[in-house]
Amino acid sequence: MASHIVGYPRMGPKRELKFALESFWDKKSTAEELEKVAADLRADIWKQMSSAGIKYIPSNTFSYYDQVLDTIAMLGAVPPRYNWTGAEIGFDTYFSMARGNASVPAMEMTKWFDTNYHFIVPELGPDVKFTYASHKAVNEYKEAKALGVETVPVLVGPFTFLSLSKPAKGVDKTFPKLSLLDKILPVYKEVIADLKAAGASTIQFDEPVLVMDLESHQLEAFVKAYSELESSLAGFHVIVETYFADVPEEAYKVLTSLKAVSGFGFDLVRGTKTLDLIKAGFPAGKFLYAGVVDGRNIWANDLAGSLTTLKELEGIVGKDKLVVSSSCSLLHTAVDLVNEPKLDKEIKSWLAFAAQKVVEVNALAKALAGQKDEEFFSANAAAQASRKSSPRVTNEAVQKAAAALRGSDHRRATNVSARLEAQQKKLSLPLLPTTTIGSFPQTLELRRVRREYKAKKITEEEYITAIKAEIKKVVDLQEDLDIDVLVHGEPERNDMVEYFGEQLSGFAFTANGWVQSYGSRCVKPPIIYGDVSRPKPMTVFWSTAAQSMTKRPMKGMLTGPVTILNWSFVRNDQPRFETCYQIALAIKDEVEDLEKAGITVIQIDEAALREGLPLRKAEHAFYLDWAVHSFRITNVGVEDTTQIHTHMCYSNFNDIIQSIIDMDADVITIENSRSDEKLLSVFREGVKYGAGIGPGVYDIHSPRIPSTEEIADRVKKMLAVLDTNILWVNPDCGLKTRKYTEVKPALQHMVVAAKLIRAELASAK
């Protein structure tokens, strides 16, 4: 019985690639040194999977930024502004597309389906000339082969690549992206021929777009793509992999009828209805890659339950045609539990990170082949039973409080326009008020202070003194820049979700449970294992300390319940909405304590609300109902004069704008600049928005510093569709990943731009 892994984490067990990338970007190391770190990590990954007994080991899933950008490079689909000359794409062009450079901005970045991983969005049009410009796929295959490891080269499929792209600037929005299939397939054929010449016998195409709601013309384009590739794929064992949700019935029929494809991969964790389709009919002679081990979460697999499912599938597809697989790439999980010596032993027994999931996949494959490891299965069963019966998981008072929420929609009593009027009387803000999103640069010195405090190398008093000094520096800078509504810069926080999770019950934390978000950006999601409550105030001390340093409004900074949920590894033994309501009640307590302490502006970030939207439209309404309700629960009890802000970043918001309005926040700041101001189009189309809104005026994920004129131009575009009395001026997102040498001039230009336009508006009266 064979085993298969869809993909694997690439950052390294202790973020080795992250540090190598940042050293290279800072010009502290060479390209050769970066490539050496990457090669060592790849070798370790391949050898680990080979040693574990995995038959189908992926290659070309390693990336310096993301796999869609790798595909852009492979196809030579470089936007003209990067002045690419047509040679093999190197780091300069590659990272300019990802991060921008001194003269041009980066390409748009958005979320990879409903995950916290990001990808660079291809910019395409009828005039794009595709050419085979990156040989990464074949080079990695050869690299693994030289190490004695046979791998399966993985490509983002042509259908998914085009479906995830957008029309380039100047191209009509209605441009049919799938019409470019005829132009990109010749490049795919060249790549396939290269892989065949190198000795590859199996190839995997990732086509996750197949789990979305698709129209007949889209499915026809999908069939056309693989029919066109059929002759090139002759002699290959071809896998088409889907993941993250059920495959709709029509897409399932189309996919499983493809002649060129030998095996089909399905996510049977998040796509349980796909099981019914398989049972109703699976093509004879084809392979089923059964994704029964969860690639999106960190809970140990219920091996006995999975084995039962696999045996049922074996009876349908045949013993020699069933392959045990991860549900999706393990990129979305932490790397290895071995790196967690301090994690609570009981909780640790409930978990499986990527390295452990590889072992689970192989153990299931061996059990199906009659080589069941009884000891391993017995230990797994004991851990499953321990988790179900542990008193640490359940808090009856919390469950009762969450259950009591039903029956009310938790709306503030006064409408937003009346609240804004009351708030303005209290805050006396100018037109186009300026603010930032929350965090300021996390310097090496600041990280050292937090690290030493955690290691008990400095006292609590020394820690508080150091953090207050950092807050004072940030407050003074904002006052010098003449920003209107201030933030304290979050120097006490390494991560916006981890910080709150550490102070809430029902959460566990790792030392090295890092997961890649994009590029070198890694997050360490907390683990929600039980019912959630707030034992004591979490932010009041720091917020009141910061407010005491200025007469200007100081935001209290919180992370919202939906974002905490979506950016955590969430318990899978109760519905997600129940966990979210519990978190909402904890944040509500914090909001009310901040208000009592005199904080008049409170920001409750919901950066990940759009990210959690289910992939199928039929499931949208239910999710948005409980997600938006959870946000409203957090602030339903505050006075009209307390201004509630929220923030959202790096997603497509236009399709949920009514739900954003329904959140009933007083002010929303939202990513706008990197996505070519796509957000503004919804207001051009007639959507009326009466609350305060701050579409971002510059991209903080690029080191590029925008000019005053550029920012002023963006603000003018906003004023063409938004009223002057509701518009705020702010960056796209928090500033923690930037340097002060970038932040100071960018914010200075932002404030000057706001003042220039205020003056223009005043003179026009």
Side-chain angles (χ1 to χ4, degrees):
M1 188 63 59
S3 52
H4 166 251
I5 300 296
V6 178
Y8 201 81
R10 52 183 79 126
M11 278 290 117
K14 296 190 176 176
R15 297 181 292 164
E16 291 87 345
L17 183 60
K18 167 191 172 64
F19 299 122
L21 282 167
E22 291 173 355
S23 176
F24 175 71
W25 293 336
D26 290 342
K27 296 182 169 41
K28 294 177 181 176
S29 61
T30 64
E32 291 74 19
E33 288 170 314
L34 172 58
E35 288 167 342
K36 173 69 166 58
V37 171
D40 288 345
L41 287 170
R42 288 192 294 267
D44 288 344
I45 291 166
W46 292 326
K47 288 174 182 176
Q48 177 191 345
M49 283 194 262
S50 180
S51 299
I54 302 297
K55 179 178 179 181
Y56 296 105
I57 297 171
S59 61
N60 198 41
T61 57
F62 188 92
S63 178
Y64 289 105
Y65 213 85
D66 85 79
Q67 67 268 32
V68 179
L69 180 59
D70 292 347
T71 310
I72 292 170
M74 182 184 86
L75 296 169
V78 181
R81 65 181 177 274
Y82 298 107
N83 297 318
W84 175 56
T85 58
E88 179 87 1
I89 289 175
F91 283 153
D92 282 352
T93 301
Y94 182 88
F95 288 128
S96 289
M97 289 191 286
R99 307 178 72 238
N101 58 42
S103 56
V104 291
M107 296 173 72
E108 180 184 352
M109 180 171 70
T110 196
K111 298 290 177 75
W112 177 246
F113 295 84
D114 59 347
T115 75
N116 187 30
Y117 182 71
H118 300 64
F119 72 96
I120 299 296
V121 181
E123 301 173 12
L124 305 179
D127 299 327
V128 175
K129 291 180 172 57
F130 298 97
T131 181
Y132 188 9
S134 170
H135 292 67
K136 176 179 175 292
V138 71
N139 290 342
E140 281 193 21
Y141 172 78
K142 289 177 178 177
E143 187 181 322
K145 195 169 186 178
L147 295 169
V149 180
E150 183 61 30
T151 62
V152 178
V154 178
L155 302 176
V156 174
F159 177 70
T160 288
F161 177 79
L162 290 179
S163 298
L164 295 179
S165 68
K166 69 173 187 177
K169 204 163 189 177
V171 174
D172 192 281
K173 289 181 181 177
T174 62
F175 173 70
K177 299 173 292 185
L178 291 171
S179 67
L180 295 173
L181 270 173
D182 289 337
K183 292 187 175 183
I184 69 169
L185 289 178
V187 181
Y188 273 90
K189 289 178 181 179
E190 286 187 75
V191 177
I192 292 164
D194 251 8
L195 290 168
K196 185 179 287 187
S201 58
T202 304
I203 189 169
Q204 176 179 315
F205 293 93
D206 281 5
E207 292 284 12
V209 164
L210 286 173
V211 305
M212 307 288 282
D213 296 306
L214 299 175
E215 297 178 11
S216 57
H217 78 275
Q218 293 171 298
L219 290 173
E220 287 165 10
F222 172 73
V223 171
K224 175 186 174 182
Y226 285 90
S227 298
E228 181 69 27
L229 291 174
E230 187 174 342
S231 59
S232 298
L233 291 169
F236 274 103
H237 177 81
V238 181
I239 307 164
V240 171
E241 186 67 46
T242 67
Y243 38 78
F244 297 153
D246 287 298
V247 176
E249 184 174 2
E250 193 56 36
Y252 176 84
K253 289 177 182 175
V254 166
L255 170 60
T256 54
S257 66
L258 291 177
K259 292 179 182 178
V261 179
S262 320
F264 311 101
F266 298 111
D267 182 339
L268 301 182
V269 177
R270 288 182 173 238
T272 51
K273 292 176 185 174
T274 305
L275 272 172
D276 296 330
L277 296 176
I278 295 168
K279 291 172 186 176
F282 190 81
K286 299 286 187 175
F287 286 78
L288 170 61
Y289 287 76
V292 294
V293 173
D294 193 351
R296 288 275 299 270
N297 215 329
I298 43 67
W299 303 107
N301 188 268
D302 177 1
L303 295 178
S306 293
L307 191 57
T308 299
T309 299
L310 290 165
K311 285 180 176 176
E312 189 177 3
L313 292 171
E314 187 179 64
I316 297 167
V317 306
K319 197 176 189 72
D320 62 333
K321 301 297 181 186
L322 182 63
V323 181
V324 183
S325 179
S326 59
S327 66
C328 62
S329 173
L330 302 180
L331 169 71
H332 308 288
T333 66
V335 179
D336 196 341
L337 271 173
V338 169
N339 299 312
E340 303 300 333
K342 295 181 181 177
L343 191 60
D344 178 280
K345 286 185 179 179
E346 183 183 28
I347 293 174
K348 192 173 181 178
S349 73
W350 303 342
L351 308 178
F353 290 0
Q356 288 70 47
K357 289 177 185 293
V358 168
V359 174
E360 289 179 337
V361 167
N362 199 55
L364 287 165
K366 288 175 74 175
L368 274 176
Q371 302 167 45
K372 185 178 179 183
D373 184 336
E374 294 292 352
E375 186 179 347
F376 186 70
F377 271 70
S378 177
N380 175 267
Q384 298 290 321
S386 159
R387 187 174 166 218
K388 285 178 182 174
S389 62
S390 175
R392 305 168 69 174
V393 171
T394 306
N395 182 323
E396 197 172 321
V398 170
Q399 293 197 348
K400 281 183 179 177
L405 293 171
R406 291 167 191 147
S408 169
D409 63 1
H410 296 89
R411 292 182 185 275
R412 292 170 76 178
T414 311
N415 67 42
V416 68
S417 57
R419 298 198 309 263
L420 288 173
E421 189 175 329
Q423 291 156 15
Q424 179 58 16
K425 285 178 182 175
K426 187 166 188 174
L427 298 172
S428 298
L429 297 172
L431 272 182
L432 311 180
T434 53
T435 190
T436 65
I437 305 306
S439 61
F440 265 65
Q442 300 262 318
T443 63
L444 289 173
E445 173 62 18
L446 180 56
R447 293 178 191 276
R448 181 193 64 77
V449 167
R450 284 202 305 261
R451 190 168 58 248
E452 290 188 353
Y453 177 60
K454 207 164 190 176
K456 299 183 178 176
K457 292 181 179 178
I458 60 173
T459 65
E460 183 173 22
E461 186 179 353
E462 288 171 319
Y463 173 72
I464 289 172
T465 299
I467 296 298
K468 281 186 174 179
E470 184 70 20
I471 292 172
K472 184 71 168 69
K473 182 176 81 172
V474 169
V475 170
D476 289 349
L477 172 61
Q478 292 171 92
E479 289 193 327
D480 289 346
L481 292 168
D482 204 17
I483 291 174
D484 300 304
V485 176
L486 310 190
V487 298
H488 76 291
E490 304 176 10
E492 78 283 15
R493 308 177 194 182
N494 179 60
D495 176 87
M496 61 188 285
V497 174
E498 183 181 17
Y499 176 80
F500 289 97
E502 284 178 339
Q503 301 182 76
L504 295 169
S505 65
F507 282 75
F509 294 88
T510 63
N512 291 293
W514 298 100
V515 178
Q516 185 183 19
S517 180
Y518 59 87
S520 69
R521 170 83 170 129
C522 297
V523 294
K524 196 165 47 159
I527 298 165
I528 306 177
Y529 68 84
D531 291 335
V532 177
S533 63
R534 186 199 72 148
K536 61 182 181 180
M538 302 179 285
T539 65
V540 175
F541 176 80
W542 297 116
S543 292
T544 52
Q547 184 64 81
S548 72
M549 299 174 188
T550 180
K551 292 182 179 178
R552 300 185 186 212
M554 173 64 63
K555 289 187 199 175
M557 299 299 305
L558 305 174
T559 302
V562 185
T563 296
I564 290 176
L565 183 88
N566 285 335
W567 286 358
S568 298
F569 290 126
V570 183
R571 57 190 295 190
N572 57 1
D573 59 345
Q574 70 177 17
R576 288 172 70 87
F577 70 84
E578 290 187 13
T579 303
C580 198
Y581 284 155
Q582 293 177 3
I583 302 169
L585 287 171
I587 299 301
K588 179 177 186 288
D589 290 344
E590 188 71 13
V591 168
E592 292 172 3
D593 279 349
L594 282 168
E595 184 183 54
K596 287 173 192 171
I599 303 300
T600 56
V601 181
I602 302 171
Q603 182 169 308
I604 308 165
D605 284 346
E606 283 296 13
L609 188 140
R610 172 62 175 79
E611 172 188 310
L613 191 70
L615 300 177
R616 304 284 284 283
K617 289 177 183 174
E619 299 167 19
H620 286 189
F622 178 67
Y623 167 78
L624 289 168
D625 180 65
W626 63 255
V628 169
H629 187 190
S630 294
F631 176 81
R632 289 201 306 264
I633 288 167
T634 65
N635 60 86
V636 66
V638 301
E639 300 290 334
D640 287 354
T641 50
T642 297
Q643 190 167 84
I644 299 296
H645 288 223
T646 190
H647 171 68
M648 296 182 176
C649 57
Y650 297 99
S651 283
N652 182 6
F653 303 106
N654 294 24
D655 55 349
I656 64 161
I657 192 67
Q658 292 303 330
S659 294
I660 291 173
I661 293 170
D662 201 36
M663 291 171 73
D664 199 27
D666 297 310
V667 178
I668 180 170
T669 53
I670 197 162
E671 182 274 325
N672 171 67
S673 64
R674 186 156 182 168
S675 56
D676 293 330
E677 299 165 342
K678 187 164 48 181
L679 171 71
L680 298 185
S681 65
V682 77
F683 301 112
R684 293 189 190 104
E685 291 159 10
V687 170
K688 297 298 180 187
Y689 193 77
I693 184 167
V697 296
Y698 78 91
D699 174 24
I700 65 86
H701 289 299
S702 170
R704 182 174 169 273
I705 299 165
S707 67
T708 299
E709 293 73 22
E710 182 182 330
I711 293 174
D713 183 58
R714 285 191 188 279
V715 175
K716 287 174 183 176
K717 287 179 182 176
M718 295 171 192
L719 287 172
V721 292
L722 293 166
D723 292 341
T724 54
N725 62 336
I726 66 169
L727 186 63
W728 286 63
V729 179
N730 47 263
D732 264 349
C733 203
L735 304 169
K736 68 184 293 183
T737 61
R738 300 269 55 88
K739 298 170 183 171
Y740 274 105
T741 52
E742 300 158 349
V743 165
K744 288 178 183 177
L747 290 180
Q748 184 178 41
H749 296 170
M750 182 186 84
V751 172
V752 171
K755 288 180 176 180
L756 283 171
I757 295 175
R758 283 177 203 154
E760 288 177 14
L761 291 170
S763 64
K765 284 184 179 179

